[in-house]
Amino acid sequence: LRSIAATLADMGGGAAGDFFPRMGLSLRLHACVQRSINNLFSLGHLRDRNMAKLAGPAHIPPKIGDWIGDADRYFMEWIRPAPLVTVSDRAAQNLPPGLNVAGVVHLGVPMDDYRFAEHGARDYVTWLGRFAPDKGAHTAIDAAKRAGVRIVVAGIVEQGMQASVEYFKREIEPRLDGERARYIGPVNLEQKLALLGGARALLNPITWEEPGATVVVEAMAVGCPVIGFARGVVPELILDGRTGF
């Protein structure tokens, strides 16, 4: 029981004391998958907050993929007969062999919210996201400084994750000066649109095979060019030299 509880806690960061409610949720998930085996499932990221949607009365096809724990293997066995839809060609290439990939549907954004921005002075670049080494915020700051361009950094330091907190303190805080390199904290949708809409470019120097890159789509939706490394889905989204680099 301790081993199973630890695995379930791994899947979403919950406490082992939540074992019985989480075990019930996992069993409902299994039953739901068995009943819905002919549905389409999207390959991306699953945390057990999304499991609640799947296991509840209103079935919402989940994105499945890269949580940490032994449950990953069991879920992949359950889902193997179902047709799967990935969020990028790169995501499909990175899947375990033997899965039934029906096609690719790239991520999108509601264009009623994301309107093209008439840029003003565009005297800064930006980085936006979750603070982790493979997201490349430190590289973005260094690149902006070398180019002599101001950078405004926004996003979440995940206080419950020691690695995120340590990365921010070790790699980000020493690079900030409040003027040429400034951190404005997490942003809501309105603030995000203003940040991207006024930026000269979004810097996206990721160092992992990111399957979806929502922030890249958001930037392009408001007319903000994207400069990024050719990793993950990025080459599928950016036309080099036309919509970004």
Side-chain angles (χ1 to χ4, degrees):
L1 285 179
R2 285 195 298 270
S3 176
I4 297 173
T7 298
L8 289 173
D10 253 354
M11 291 166 61
D18 296 333
F19 166 69
F20 288 106
R22 293 165 67 80
M23 189 62 187
L25 181 59
S26 182
L27 292 173
R28 293 211 310 274
L29 172 66
H30 186 186
C32 185
V33 169
Q34 293 299 320
R35 290 194 304 270
S36 306
I37 204 67
N38 292 322
N39 286 347
L40 290 176
F41 290 82
S42 176
L43 271 289
H45 305 280
L46 176 67
R47 297 291 185 262
D48 73 351
R49 61 177 177 269
N50 299 109
M51 285 188 186
K53 298 177 183 178
L54 175 60
H59 173 67
I60 301 174
K63 298 176 180 180
I64 68 174
D66 68 344
W67 71 74
I68 299 172
D70 292 339
D72 187 15
R73 175 167 58 86
Y74 298 127
F75 193 87
M76 286 298 183
E77 289 175 1
W78 292 338
I79 206 66
R80 191 173 298 276
L84 304 169
V85 177
T86 69
V87 295
S88 65
D89 291 326
R90 189 60 176 169
Q93 295 166 8
N94 288 339
L95 290 177
L99 293 177
N100 178 18
V101 179
V104 172
V105 177
H106 287 95
L107 297 178
V109 295
M111 291 304 294
D112 286 344
D113 296 329
Y114 291 81
R115 301 295 181 89
F116 183 81
E118 294 294 337
H119 292 280
R122 296 199 300 180
D123 62 346
Y124 67 91
V125 294
T126 188
W127 178 94
L128 176 63
R130 173 177 54 83
F131 286 99
D134 55 11
K135 291 284 191 177
H138 62 291
T139 304
I141 296 172
D142 290 346
K145 287 182 176 180
R146 288 190 63 177
V149 180
R150 283 199 313 126
I151 183 167
V152 179
V153 176
I156 298 171
V157 181
E158 296 183 291
Q159 298 298 325
M161 296 184 64
Q162 185 177 358
S164 179
V165 174
E166 290 179 353
Y167 166 70
F168 187 84
K169 289 183 177 180
R170 183 181 66 253
E171 301 292 347
I172 303 303
E173 283 186 346
R175 288 173 161 86
L176 302 174
D177 59 22
E179 294 184 8
R180 304 300 297 174
R182 185 163 62 100
Y183 173 55
I184 61 172
V187 291
N188 60 28
L189 178 59
E190 183 179 356
Q191 293 167 328
K192 181 191 299 184
L193 295 179
L195 179 64
L196 293 172
R200 186 173 176 180
L202 169 74
L203 304 188
N204 188 53
I206 58 171
T207 56
W208 72 295
E209 300 306 312
E210 187 168 25
T214 304
V215 68
V216 171
V217 180
E218 291 176 314
M220 296 174 70
V222 300
C224 178
V226 180
I227 302 174
F229 292 163
R231 298 289 299 269
V233 70
V234 172
E236 299 175 44
L237 301 178
I238 296 174
L239 296 177
D240 190 29
R242 295 180 59 188
T243 60
F245 302 90

